[in-house]
Amino acid sequence: MINTGSEAQSKPAVITIDGPSGTGKGTIARAISNWLGWHFLDSGALYRVLGLVATRDRLDISDEDYLVSVASNLDVSFVGMEDRTKVYHNGLDCTLAIRTEECGIVASRIAVSPAIRKALLSKQHAFRLNPGLVADGRDMGTVVFPDANLQIFMTASVEERARRRYNQLKEKEICASLADLSRDIKERDERDVTRQQSPLKPSQTAVILDTTVMSIEEVTDKVKILVRKHGLI
Ligand code: C5P
Protein backbone atom coordinates (compact mmCIF):
# COMPACT_ATOMS: atom_id res chain seq x y z
CA MET A 1 0.00 0.00 0.00
CA ILE A 2 1.28 3.48 -0.81
CA ASN A 3 -0.04 5.96 1.67
CA THR A 4 -0.25 9.31 -0.02
CA GLY A 5 -1.97 11.11 2.88
CA SER A 6 -0.21 14.29 4.01
CA GLU A 7 0.14 12.94 7.55
CA ALA A 8 2.04 9.86 6.34
CA GLN A 9 4.17 12.02 4.03
CA SER A 10 5.37 14.13 6.92
CA LYS A 11 6.38 11.09 8.94
CA PRO A 12 9.39 8.84 8.29
CA ALA A 13 8.57 5.88 6.01
CA VAL A 14 7.73 2.50 7.55
CA ILE A 15 7.68 -1.05 6.23
CA THR A 16 5.85 -3.54 8.45
CA ILE A 17 6.43 -7.28 8.35
CA ASP A 18 4.00 -9.30 10.45
CA GLY A 19 3.31 -12.98 10.85
CA PRO A 20 3.66 -15.91 13.22
CA SER A 21 7.04 -17.13 14.51
CA GLY A 22 9.23 -19.13 12.17
CA THR A 23 8.05 -17.49 8.95
CA GLY A 24 11.41 -15.75 8.54
CA LYS A 25 10.03 -12.27 9.15
CA GLY A 26 12.74 -11.28 11.64
CA THR A 27 15.58 -12.35 9.35
CA ILE A 28 14.01 -10.61 6.36
CA ALA A 29 13.18 -7.45 8.33
CA ARG A 30 16.80 -7.15 9.50
CA ALA A 31 18.15 -7.79 5.99
CA ILE A 32 15.82 -5.19 4.45
CA SER A 33 16.57 -2.56 7.12
CA ASN A 34 20.28 -3.15 6.51
CA TRP A 35 19.85 -2.95 2.73
CA LEU A 36 17.92 0.33 3.00
CA GLY A 37 20.04 1.74 5.83
CA TRP A 38 16.83 2.20 7.87
CA HIS A 39 16.11 1.69 11.56
CA PHE A 40 14.89 -1.68 12.78
CA LEU A 41 12.28 -2.67 15.36
CA ASP A 42 11.87 -6.26 16.52
CA SER A 43 8.67 -5.69 18.49
CA GLY A 44 8.65 -9.30 19.72
CA ALA A 45 11.89 -8.52 21.56
CA LEU A 46 10.02 -5.93 23.67
CA TYR A 47 7.49 -8.58 24.78
CA ARG A 48 10.33 -11.06 25.30
CA VAL A 49 12.26 -8.59 27.51
CA LEU A 50 9.11 -8.24 29.62
CA GLY A 51 8.96 -12.05 29.74
CA LEU A 52 12.58 -12.12 30.87
CA VAL A 53 11.97 -9.55 33.61
CA ALA A 54 8.90 -11.47 34.80
CA THR A 55 10.83 -14.77 34.90
CA ARG A 56 13.92 -13.21 36.52
CA ASP A 57 11.88 -11.44 39.21
CA ARG A 58 9.70 -14.55 39.66
CA LEU A 59 6.63 -12.45 39.02
CA ASP A 60 3.16 -13.74 38.74
CA ILE A 61 2.52 -12.69 35.14
CA SER A 62 -0.98 -11.69 36.13
CA ASP A 63 0.70 -8.85 38.11
CA GLU A 64 -0.34 -6.48 35.34
CA ASP A 65 0.33 -3.23 37.24
CA TYR A 66 3.98 -4.09 37.77
CA LEU A 67 4.47 -5.22 34.17
CA VAL A 68 2.76 -2.06 32.88
CA SER A 69 5.21 0.04 34.92
CA VAL A 70 8.16 -1.98 33.52
CA ALA A 71 6.73 -1.63 29.99
CA SER A 72 6.27 2.13 30.39
CA ASN A 73 9.92 2.58 31.28
CA LEU A 74 11.34 -0.06 28.97
CA ASP A 75 14.76 0.84 27.62
CA VAL A 76 15.46 -1.54 24.72
CA SER A 77 17.80 -0.94 21.79
CA PHE A 78 18.98 -2.94 18.78
CA VAL A 79 22.65 -2.65 17.95
CA GLY A 80 24.53 -4.13 14.99
CA MET A 81 23.41 -5.67 11.76
CA GLU A 82 21.47 -8.64 10.43
CA ASP A 83 22.11 -11.88 12.34
CA ARG A 84 24.62 -10.05 14.52
CA THR A 85 21.95 -7.65 15.80
CA LYS A 86 22.16 -7.50 19.59
CA VAL A 87 19.30 -6.60 21.92
CA TYR A 88 20.11 -4.43 24.92
CA HIS A 89 17.87 -3.87 27.92
CA ASN A 90 18.97 -1.14 30.33
CA GLY A 91 22.37 -1.27 28.66
CA LEU A 92 22.80 -5.02 29.22
CA ASP A 93 23.06 -7.52 26.35
CA CYS A 94 20.05 -9.86 26.62
CA THR A 95 20.17 -11.19 23.03
CA LEU A 96 20.49 -14.86 23.95
CA ALA A 97 18.50 -14.78 27.17
CA ILE A 98 15.31 -13.59 25.43
CA ARG A 99 15.48 -16.23 22.67
CA THR A 100 14.62 -19.26 24.79
CA GLU A 101 11.36 -21.13 24.16
CA GLU A 102 10.34 -20.39 27.75
CA CYS A 103 10.78 -16.66 27.26
CA GLY A 104 8.72 -16.80 24.02
CA ILE A 105 5.89 -18.57 25.82
CA VAL A 106 5.90 -16.11 28.77
CA ALA A 107 6.06 -13.21 26.26
CA SER A 108 2.99 -14.47 24.42
CA ARG A 109 1.08 -14.80 27.72
CA ILE A 110 2.04 -11.26 28.70
CA ALA A 111 1.14 -9.97 25.22
CA VAL A 112 -2.52 -10.83 25.82
CA SER A 113 -2.86 -7.85 28.22
CA PRO A 114 -4.41 -4.73 26.61
CA ALA A 115 -2.82 -2.48 29.29
CA ILE A 116 0.67 -3.82 28.57
CA ARG A 117 0.17 -3.50 24.81
CA LYS A 118 -0.97 0.09 25.31
CA ALA A 119 2.09 0.85 27.46
CA LEU A 120 4.36 -0.44 24.68
CA LEU A 121 2.70 1.58 21.92
CA SER A 122 4.61 4.85 22.38
CA LYS A 123 7.89 2.88 22.79
CA GLN A 124 7.29 1.33 19.38
CA HIS A 125 6.30 4.65 17.76
CA ALA A 126 9.58 6.14 19.02
CA PHE A 127 11.49 3.85 16.62
CA ARG A 128 9.93 5.68 13.65
CA LEU A 129 12.86 7.89 12.71
CA ASN A 130 14.39 9.13 9.47
CA PRO A 131 15.41 7.81 7.03
CA GLY A 132 12.83 5.09 7.75
CA LEU A 133 11.90 2.05 9.82
CA VAL A 134 11.42 -1.66 9.17
CA ALA A 135 9.28 -3.13 11.97
CA ASP A 136 8.44 -6.78 12.50
CA GLY A 137 5.89 -8.36 14.80
CA ARG A 138 2.25 -9.39 14.96
CA ASP A 139 0.33 -6.10 14.86
CA MET A 140 2.77 -3.70 13.20
CA GLY A 141 0.49 -3.16 10.19
CA THR A 142 -2.89 -3.47 11.89
CA VAL A 143 -2.33 -1.42 15.07
CA VAL A 144 1.09 0.15 15.59
CA PHE A 145 1.79 1.59 12.11
CA PRO A 146 -1.51 1.36 10.22
CA ASP A 147 -0.30 4.13 7.86
CA ALA A 148 2.85 2.17 6.91
CA ASN A 149 4.05 2.69 3.33
CA LEU A 150 4.30 -1.06 2.73
CA GLN A 151 2.74 -3.84 4.79
CA ILE A 152 3.74 -7.47 4.42
CA PHE A 153 2.25 -10.51 6.16
CA MET A 154 4.33 -13.70 6.10
CA THR A 155 2.94 -17.18 6.58
CA ALA A 156 4.38 -20.72 6.43
CA SER A 157 3.09 -24.15 7.44
CA VAL A 158 3.43 -25.17 11.09
CA GLU A 159 5.57 -28.19 10.08
CA GLU A 160 8.02 -26.00 8.17
CA ARG A 161 8.21 -23.42 10.96
CA ALA A 162 8.88 -26.14 13.55
CA ARG A 163 11.58 -27.61 11.27
CA ARG A 164 13.28 -24.20 10.91
CA ARG A 165 13.23 -23.66 14.68
CA TYR A 166 14.58 -27.19 15.23
CA ASN A 167 17.50 -26.51 12.87
CA GLN A 168 18.23 -23.16 14.53
CA LEU A 169 18.40 -24.84 17.95
CA LYS A 170 20.49 -27.71 16.57
CA GLU A 171 23.00 -25.20 15.19
CA LYS A 172 23.30 -23.79 18.70
CA GLU A 173 23.67 -27.38 19.99
CA ILE A 174 20.43 -27.08 21.95
CA CYS A 175 18.41 -30.31 22.17
CA ALA A 176 14.76 -30.08 21.14
CA SER A 177 12.01 -32.32 19.87
CA LEU A 178 10.24 -31.51 16.62
CA ALA A 179 6.94 -32.67 18.12
CA ASP A 180 7.34 -30.37 21.17
CA LEU A 181 8.29 -27.42 18.96
CA SER A 182 5.26 -28.04 16.74
CA ARG A 183 2.98 -28.15 19.77
CA ASP A 184 4.47 -24.94 21.25
CA ILE A 185 4.12 -23.14 17.90
CA LYS A 186 0.47 -24.19 17.59
CA GLU A 187 -0.26 -23.05 21.16
CA ARG A 188 1.46 -19.71 20.62
CA ASP A 189 -0.36 -19.19 17.29
CA GLU A 190 -3.67 -19.95 18.96
CA ARG A 191 -3.01 -17.39 21.72
CA ASP A 192 -1.79 -14.74 19.26
CA VAL A 193 -4.68 -15.23 16.83
CA THR A 194 -7.53 -15.47 19.33
CA ARG A 195 -6.60 -12.71 21.80
CA GLN A 196 -9.06 -9.81 22.02
CA GLN A 197 -6.47 -7.06 21.73
CA SER A 198 -4.40 -6.73 18.52
CA PRO A 199 -4.79 -10.35 17.36
CA LEU A 200 -2.37 -11.70 14.78
CA LYS A 201 -3.98 -11.11 11.39
CA PRO A 202 -3.04 -9.43 8.10
CA SER A 203 -4.25 -5.89 7.59
CA GLN A 204 -6.59 -5.38 4.65
CA THR A 205 -3.80 -3.88 2.55
CA ALA A 206 -1.02 -6.32 3.49
CA VAL A 207 0.82 -8.25 0.79
CA ILE A 208 0.67 -11.93 1.84
CA LEU A 209 3.85 -13.95 1.35
CA ASP A 210 3.78 -17.70 1.98
CA THR A 211 7.42 -18.61 2.67
CA THR A 212 6.88 -22.38 3.18
CA VAL A 213 8.85 -23.41 0.10
CA MET A 214 10.97 -20.28 -0.29
CA SER A 215 14.59 -19.73 0.72
CA ILE A 216 15.64 -16.64 2.69
CA GLU A 217 17.24 -15.25 -0.48
CA GLU A 218 14.04 -15.75 -2.48
CA VAL A 219 11.92 -14.01 0.14
CA THR A 220 14.45 -11.15 0.46
CA ASP A 221 14.42 -10.65 -3.32
CA LYS A 222 10.64 -10.65 -3.39
CA VAL A 223 10.49 -8.01 -0.63
CA LYS A 224 13.09 -5.89 -2.43
CA ILE A 225 10.86 -5.95 -5.52
CA LEU A 226 7.92 -4.78 -3.38
CA VAL A 227 10.03 -2.00 -1.83
CA ARG A 228 10.95 -0.73 -5.30
CA LYS A 229 7.37 -1.10 -6.54
CA HIS A 230 6.17 1.08 -3.66
CA GLY A 231 8.69 3.77 -4.52
CA LEU A 232 10.61 3.44 -1.27
CA ILE A 233 14.01 3.35 -2.94
O1 C5P B 1 8.18 -12.49 17.44
P1 C5P B 1 8.49 -13.22 18.72
O2 C5P B 1 8.32 -14.69 18.64
O3 C5P B 1 9.81 -12.83 19.28
O4 C5P B 1 7.40 -12.68 19.77
C1 C5P B 1 7.20 -13.28 21.02
C2 C5P B 1 5.73 -13.14 21.41
O5 C5P B 1 5.44 -11.75 21.63
C3 C5P B 1 4.74 -13.58 20.34
O6 C5P B 1 4.38 -14.94 20.44
C4 C5P B 1 3.54 -12.70 20.58
O7 C5P B 1 2.67 -13.28 21.52
C5 C5P B 1 4.12 -11.44 21.19
N1 C5P B 1 4.13 -10.35 20.24
C6 C5P B 1 3.00 -9.59 20.09
N2 C5P B 1 2.98 -8.50 19.28
C7 C5P B 1 4.07 -8.18 18.59
C8 C5P B 1 5.25 -8.94 18.68
C9 C5P B 1 5.25 -10.05 19.51
O8 C5P B 1 1.98 -9.89 20.71
N3 C5P B 1 4.02 -7.10 17.81
Side-chain angles (χ1 to χ4, degrees):
M1 175 189 78
I2 301 177
N3 195 326
T4 52
S6 57
E7 197 199 347
Q9 275 173 0
S10 62
K11 289 181 180 175
V14 185
I15 298 170
T16 57
I17 307 185
D18 287 306
S21 60
T23 50
K25 64 185 187 328
T27 306
I28 304 299
R30 279 194 294 270
I32 296 296
S33 75
N34 185 36
W35 174 63
L36 289 166
W38 287 12
H39 298 277
F40 167 65
L41 166 62
D42 167 3
S43 60
L46 306 184
Y47 291 93
R48 282 175 181 267
V49 167
L50 285 181
L52 188 67
V53 170
T55 311
R56 186 197 62 198
D57 296 353
R58 296 179 199 283
L59 288 179
D60 177 351
I61 60 164
S62 55
D63 187 346
E64 207 177 40
D65 289 348
Y66 182 76
L67 285 169
V68 166
S69 76
V70 176
S72 307
N73 297 298
L74 205 65
D75 172 15
V76 171
S77 53
F78 303 98
V79 179
M81 277 189 252
E82 302 215 22
D83 56 356
R84 293 182 301 280
T85 307
K86 288 198 177 292
V87 185
Y88 286 85
H89 171 230
N90 288 341
L92 294 176
D93 182 356
C94 63
T95 317
L96 291 180
I98 61 166
R99 289 295 148 209
T100 63
E101 294 305 304
E102 186 197 5
C103 202
I105 291 166
V106 178
S108 87
R109 293 204 175 118
I110 287 173
V112 170
S113 154
I116 292 171
R117 302 197 74 86
K118 193 169 163 218
L120 285 180
L121 212 50
S122 60
K123 299 278 151 203
Q124 295 172 92
H125 288 158
F127 281 85
R128 187 174 194 168
L129 297 168
N130 280 317
L133 172 70
V134 182
D136 88 70
R138 304 292 190 286
D139 60 344
M140 296 296 97
T142 48
V143 176
V144 183
F145 302 110
D147 61 343
N149 304 69
L150 167 62
Q151 302 191 348
I152 295 169
F153 191 89
M154 290 190 182
T155 62
S157 71
V158 170
E159 295 72 27
E160 175 59 17
R161 292 191 280 136
R163 198 188 60 77
R164 288 175 188 170
R165 185 67 186 141
Y166 178 81
N167 289 340
Q168 271 175 356
L169 293 171
K170 209 166 136 195
E171 261 174 39
K172 291 180 194 151
E173 296 180 4
I174 300 172
C175 286
S177 121
L178 208 47
D180 286 352
L181 289 173
S182 245
R183 190 203 53 223
D184 289 350
I185 283 176
K186 280 186 199 152
E187 271 177 24
R188 202 131 72 85
D189 283 359
E190 170 77 10
R191 228 181 344 258
D192 288 349
V193 168
T194 57
R195 69 177 171 229
Q196 293 273 311
Q197 189 80 20
S198 313
L200 170 67
K201 63 170 185 196
S203 71
Q204 285 191 338
T205 51
V207 178
I208 314 278
L209 275 186
D210 185 338
T211 70
T212 307
V213 294
M214 291 172 84
S215 67
I216 289 171
E217 292 72 26
E218 285 171 328
V219 183
T220 308
D221 287 346
K222 191 124 198 179
V223 174
K224 285 182 179 176
I225 291 170
L226 288 169
V227 169
R228 289 202 169 93
K229 213 166 124 187
H230 284 73
L232 295 169
I233 195 169

